[in-house]
Amino acid sequence: MEISARNALKGTVKAIVPGSVNSEVTIEVAPGVEVTAIITKASCEKLGLSEGKEAYAVIKSSDVMVAID
């Protein structure tokens, strides 16, 4: 994966709270350290996110995105 954002924190999906349009995704990047992002429900499904799966919290400016390998 190559990305222009400078901060990509690898971790494990700890929780997903699906909504009608958006999903709240919490990624544990270190023991007791979590990053939470709101992404579209469609993006969550396209990435195949589920609890226990490895993912990245990608931080650029004020946005937190989610990525996978």
Side-chain angles (χ1 to χ4, degrees):
M1 172 182 75
E2 291 188 33
I3 191 165
S4 63
R6 301 228 182 251
N7 302 298
L9 307 173
K10 188 174 185 177
T12 303
V13 177
K14 185 169 182 181
I16 299 174
V17 180
S20 58
V21 176
N22 293 322
S23 293
E24 180 180 300
V25 180
T26 301
I27 298 172
E28 186 173 46
V29 297
V33 180
E34 299 174 352
V35 176
T36 301
I38 304 293
I39 63 174
T40 64
K41 184 177 179 180
S43 291
C44 190
E45 292 170 355
K46 182 178 178 182
L47 292 171
L49 296 177
S50 61
E51 290 183 18
K53 185 170 185 176
E54 287 188 344
Y56 293 85
V58 181
I59 302 163
K60 183 170 176 95
S61 187
S62 61
D63 297 320
V64 177
M65 301 171 283
V66 175
I68 60 170
D69 280 332

